[in-house]
Structures are given as C-alpha cells and as structure tokens.
Amino acid sequence: MATIKDVAKLAKVSPSTASRAMHDNPAITQKTKARVWKAMQTLHYAPDFNAQSLANKRSNAIGVILPVDHHEIFTNPFFLKVLRGISEACYQAQAMVNLATGSSQAELLNSIDIMVTQGMIRRFIVLYSEKDDPILTKLRQLDAQYVMIGKPYQLVNETPYVDNDNILAGSDAAQFLVDHGHKNICFVYNDLKKMVQNDRMLGYQRVMMDNQLLINSFELPAQEYPGGRQLVIQYLTQHPEITAFITVDDMLGLRIQQVLKSSTMVADREASIIGFNNSVFSEAAHPALTSVEIFPRRLGHEAAKIAVGLQSDDHLSTKLIVPHQIIERHSVATV
Amino acid sequence: MATIKDVAKLAKVSPSTASRAMHDNPAITQKTKARVWKAMQTLHYAPDFNAQSLANKRSNAIGVILPVDHHEIFTNPFFLKVLRGISEACYQAQAMVNLATGSSQAELLNSIDIMVTQGMIRRFIVLYSEKDDPILTKLRQLDAQYVMIGKPYQLVNETPYVDNDNILAGSDAAQFLVDHGHKNICFVYNDLKKMVQNDRMLGYQRVMMDNQLLINSFELPAQEYPGGRQLVIQYLTQHPEITAFITVDDMLGLRIQQVLKSSTMVADREASIIGFNNSVFSEAAHPALTSVEIFPRRLGHEAAKIAVGLQSDDHLSTKLIVPHQIIERHSVATV
DNA sequence: AATTTTCCTGCAACCGATTGCACTAGCTTC
DNA sequence: GAAGCTAGTGCAATCGGTTGCAGGAAAATT
C-alpha cells in the first residue's frame, strides 16, 4: 500500500503539503494540488483510517445503535432494511459502519463507551426513539453526536433526526378507510411509549374527530405473550360494530386477520385491515394486506448522510421527513 | 483518557515495559506486571484501538459480510438474529463489529477492499455460503481470514465455519412427517445453489429412500416474483396424493398454507407443513407452523468467537455444528 | 534597489501504541 | 575477583497520518 510519503515523493512535495492538498486546504496552490492529486491517482493512494483516526482523534466510522435486545425487535425486518440504507450511504461517503447492540441496557451503554473512548467514534445513528432513554444521555455525556431515526422525545430542536410524518401517516390510513365508507374503525397498537405508535394514533384520532366518528383503540401485546388470540376474539365479540382496523404494524394486522379467518367464535365476521411498514407479512397474508410503506431504507440512508456530514463543532440540527405511501392491496373493502 | 505513558509513569516503568506487561509478555517479572496491572486499574486505562491497529497493522474489528442486497434477504429476520449473536460475542472479546453490505457485488467487493486495505480489518464473518463466491476469492487474495456461517463449497477443510447439520435437519423433518404417517411428502425449496437448501433436501431424500417412498420436490420462487400462488395451486392439483410439505423456510410454508386455506381451486384439501427457521412467520400462521429451530443467534455467537480467536498465522480451521430442534406446533397432522 | 507584505511550503512534533536491540544488574563459574 | 551468562528493562524507531510555526520566494510598495 502506498503511503502519504510515497505520494509526497512522487509529487515532489513534503508529506505535510501532500496532506493539505488532499484536504483541499486553501493554503496550497492549485498547481501543487494538481501534482499531488495526480500522484495519488497513479499510486492508487488510499489513506490509512487508523492513522487518520489517531491523528484526528476522531474515527471515520459511524456507530449504529440498535435498541436493547428484545424478541420482537430482532424479528423485525425494519431494522435490517434501515441498516442497508445506512451502509449504502456510508459506503458512498467512505465511512465505516460500526454496530452496537446489547442484551441489556448496561451492556449497550458499555459498548457505546468503548466505541467512543477506545474507538474514537464520535458520530452515531440511533435506530429508535424512546422516552427517557439513558443511551442518549450517555452519548451527550461522552460528547458524541447522534442522529436519530424517529422523532426524539427530548431536545427535539437540538437533535438531528430523520423520520416519517407519522401523524400524517396515521391520518392518511384513517382517511383511506373513511373514504372506503368505514365509520367504526379501531386503532391497534402495541406500546404507546414509542413515539411512532403514539403519533400514528394521534393522526388516526384527528381524522376520526374531524369526521365525528368514535375513537376505538386496542392494545395487542407482542407475539411472545400468550393469550393474544383470545384478546382479539374478545374484542371482536364485544365490538360487533367495528368494520375496520388500523394496525401499527403489519404483523398485528396479520394476527387479527388470522383470527378473523380461523376462529369459529367470530365466523362470518368481516373486517378491513390496513397496516404499517409494508413488510413481508403484508404480502404473505391472504388477502394481501393494504399497508403504509415508510421506506426504511431511505430513512437509514438519509440518517447516515446527515451523520457523515456532522462536524464536531456544529450545533445546528438537520431534520428530514421521508414521505410514506399507501400500498393498496386487498384487505380493505368498500362498505 | 489515560494513555500507556500515564500507566507507565505511575508504575514507574517505561511505556515499553508497560505494553509488554499488558500483553503478559514472559520477559517481564511477575512483580513488575503486578505493578503495571495495578496502575491500569487505578487509571481505568483502556487502549486506543486506532493506535493499536496502526502499530499492529491489524484492527481489532471483525468485518461482517451480508449477502449482496436482494429483496428476500433484507426481509429475513435470520440475519438480524445472527448479527445479535456476533455482536454479543464481540462485545465479550472487546472487538468492534464492522458491517459490509452492497447493492451489487462490485460494491460489496469494493467495501471489503476498503475495510482490509484502509481499515486493516483482517478477520471476517461471512453470513452465507454460495457456490463460486467471488467475495471469498477476494478475501483470500487480500490475505484476510474469514469464518463462514454455513458450510463452504470450496476449501471445506481450510475454512473455519459454523453451521447446523442441515442434512440431519432435513432428515429429522422428513422423519417427523413419516412418523406421523405421511408417505407422500414434498420438499419445497427456493434456490438449490444455496448450500443450506441443498443439504436439507439431501436429508429429506435420504429418509424417503430409506423408507422406500417417492421423492417429490417443488421450486417456489421468491415472493417478489409474481405467479407463485398460481404455481402452488397447479402443483396441488397435479399432485393430489401429497399430504405433507417440508419447506426450506417458514415463509414458504406460510405461503403454501395461505393457498390451502383460501383458494377455492383446492378447497377441502388438507396438508401438513413443517418449515425451517422457526421465524415469526411460523408463530403468526394459523394453525401455527411446526418448524425446525436452527438457533441463528448461537450460530453468530460461535462464529464470532472463532473469528476473534483467529491468528494471522494459523492455518487450522475450526468447524462447529450447532444443533437444531423441531418446535412442534399445530401444522402437522397424523394420518 | 531595498523593504515590506503575501503566499506557499517544509520542518518537526505529535497522536498512542509496539518491538528490535542494547544495556545493566545480579548470578554463576572457574 | 574477573569473566561469562542470563534475565529484566528502557531507548528509540516505527506505524501513517496531521498541524503549528518558521522561513523562503515571489509580488507589491516605496
């Protein structure tokens, strides 16, 4: 591998000039820069990241923080897609991608500590947004920068983030059902402490109120908790008027669909369903689920672009809203 | 942050001695080592990874290579679980996890090149096994070490890997059906160029032959190719004798189940299904799919442990077989 | 032509580790 | 007691970059 000294030698300048030329330092003449650049080309020069990080006290890597391990999370293809987007943007920006996970919060905190203090990683992407998250406190305390995927709960103005307009997405989903003639619509969620779910519900509520319709909601616990099926049956029998469901994730929609199709307790009961995330689940269902696509890969891509551009001294924060899109399939009927 | 010089000063030795003491170099007296170790403790010393990598010409990071982007892959929770296991083991070994993905092979190859030449990453985990994979060629050519998840096609003896015994898993699944009285069993796959699928089929075939039963197989293309549903219906009508399916992934099982339940073309047709991967899909189905759990997280964990232990000079290769387990649910009936 | 100003470039130190080699004790041995 | 060993430690160079500061050359001013 060619080093900066080789380049310098070939361009007949000193390593310091070469270094400055590479960073397009204004102190260097165009003519000199050109010489250096040509030398870089011919030698296929590429800087050593470790040497650079050492000298700069800052790694070129972006740390990616997944939520603390939890059955549901590591089952959700959403994160993998986001990772793909991040990876893509980082590749284009010549940055490395460093993963941080943990089976407990303590472990994750420690991982992050190591990445910052020993790895000199100073830029992170946090793949979720939760209330009172100690991880964010830690990052701030370590003087690291981060961009979030999802809208932050705290320091909303100071935190760069990329997100969908989940309130709008919730509204759109509700409006879609209303437009199809539904009046008794139920919102199915999982955990309202998550900003996404909360926002989508807000959007749903807004539309219902605008149309003077009743608000119904239902908490369906994660798959690993038993009895979910029973809860759905119960809800359905207690609310015979409900003709449509908005589910905060396709998976929930699928589960409700399964119950509708298979339980003798609710035989002949029909209901429209619209989900979120446009995941495999929605395609796999029959009838295929209408779902709101939120473009996770794009979310990741944009977040990474912001993270890569983060300077250690800037305190302005970029916010980016990625559009969503309703993918119509066959699970919503017109009444 | 304390540096090695601070430690050295406190222990009243030179940095070189401190360094040697930290690596438990036999040239250093126990007494001196003890002094250095105590100094490390009191200063909360932790080495700078970048400086270390620079001096050693080898990073402490493990590169993780995902397969080239492909709708199906980034939808499969398997990889996320494996990542979790890798991350866990790396955390314990104080190694960083570096991700490599690409939307094309060229991009992925380039990513890897960068990781090795600029990042000094010399140890990789490859999350898949494919025939004639140029990625592996590249890794070898770059003089990097790798451990695979899944059995390699080439250099089987020289390549460390961790895998399930997929042949056995295939046999077990088939035997499970045979034990439940099934005689006409069909094996459903996706892409036989993948070692996993091939092996599972082999196992299936073995059991069928041992029991003097006919071998039936069926290729169900990935979800994104249209017409899959039609293919299933066609197969079912052309093979009325089939009473059970082994599907190489739960997703495929789910898709077959959907057809069975919903198509009027095959009304009243019943069939048992056993899938692989014990993914959410299997739980979400109704009746819930019986599935073969292959413990992806454990696969990742073990692979990472091997990768971390890899020395640049050793040419012995560890192989590790992670057991599988049939998770009985309700999709297999006794005939 | 001499002096000042402006620009550009190079020297050398530094980032935080590792390691070959030389050196100094303390022991043994004759 | 001098010579020869061995074992333990430190010096200094090195890994491949970055950057403050000094200095030299060219351009501008008088």
Side-chain angles (χ1 to χ4, degrees), chain A residues 105 126 128 130-138 140 154:
Chain A
Q105 196 171 85
V126 181
Y128 64 95
E130 233 174 54
K131 210 170 171 181
D132 300 322
D133 191 356
I135 301 292
L136 301 186
T137 316
K138 179 79 172 183
R140 269 179 258 122
Q154 299 177 319

Side-chain angles (χ1 to χ4, degrees), chain A residues 262-302:
Chain A
S262 65
S263 172
T264 51
M265 305 286 291
V266 290
D268 300 326
R269 177 76 175 272
E270 301 259 328
S272 291
I273 299 175
I274 180 168
F276 279 84
N277 291 5
N278 189 30
S279 51
V280 243
F281 309 131
S282 58
E283 300 180 64
H286 191 84
L289 246 50
T290 289
S291 182
V292 182
E293 170 66 82
I294 58 170
F295 302 106
R297 180 160 161 181
R298 172 108 186 265
L299 287 169
H301 190 99
E302 300 293 348

Side-chain angles (χ1 to χ4, degrees), chain A residues 14 16-17 20 29 32 54-55 57:
Chain A
S14 73
S16 29
T17 303
R20 283 188 260 258
T29 333
T32 314
L54 180 59
K57 294 184 141 298

Side-chain angles (χ1 to χ4, degrees), chain B residues 123-196:
Chain B
R123 295 166 300 179
F124 289 83
I125 299 174
V126 181
L127 297 199
Y128 64 95
S129 172
E130 235 175 53
K131 210 170 170 181
D132 300 322
D133 191 357
I135 302 293
L136 301 185
T137 316
K138 179 80 172 183
L139 285 172
R140 268 179 259 122
Q141 165 195 325
L142 286 168
D143 201 33
Q145 327 232 171
Y146 58 90
V147 8
M148 294 188 48
I149 291 192
K151 192 170 174 184
Y153 273 91
Q154 298 179 319
L155 302 171
V156 184
N157 260 307
E158 294 86 333
T159 308
Y161 68 85
V162 3
D163 195 9
N164 303 103
D165 185 337
N166 280 304
I167 300 184
L168 185 60
S171 293
D172 285 356
Q175 190 62 53
F176 183 84
L177 292 174
V178 169
D179 289 348
H180 279 70
H182 293 275
K183 300 209 178 312
N184 294 291
I185 303 171
C186 172
F187 183 86
V188 184
Y189 61 90
N190 203 301
D191 176 1
L192 284 182
K193 270 192 306 188
K194 300 219 174 104
M195 182 67 94
V196 225

Side-chain angles (χ1 to χ4, degrees), chain A residues 25-73:
Chain A
N25 187 317
I28 306 293
T29 333
Q30 277 307 318
K31 237 183 356 190
T32 314
K33 279 181 191 168
R35 277 217 318 284
V36 173
W37 292 338
K38 211 178 67 193
M40 286 171 64
Q41 298 284 326
T42 65
L43 291 178
H44 297 297
Y45 171 79
D48 181 313
F49 290 148
N50 295 300
Q52 249 172 346
S53 305
L54 180 59
N56 293 332
K57 294 184 141 298
R58 187 226 224 214
S59 164
N60 78 328
I62 303 290
V64 175
I65 305 178
L66 286 162
V68 168
D69 196 0
H70 177 40
H71 175 78
E72 176 223 332
I73 279 155

Side-chain angles (χ1 to χ4, degrees), chain B residues 87-99:
Chain B
S87 181
E88 183 178 67
C90 286
Y91 169 74
Q92 287 164 13
Q94 294 265 314
M96 317 231 80
V97 179
N98 255 274
L99 222 55

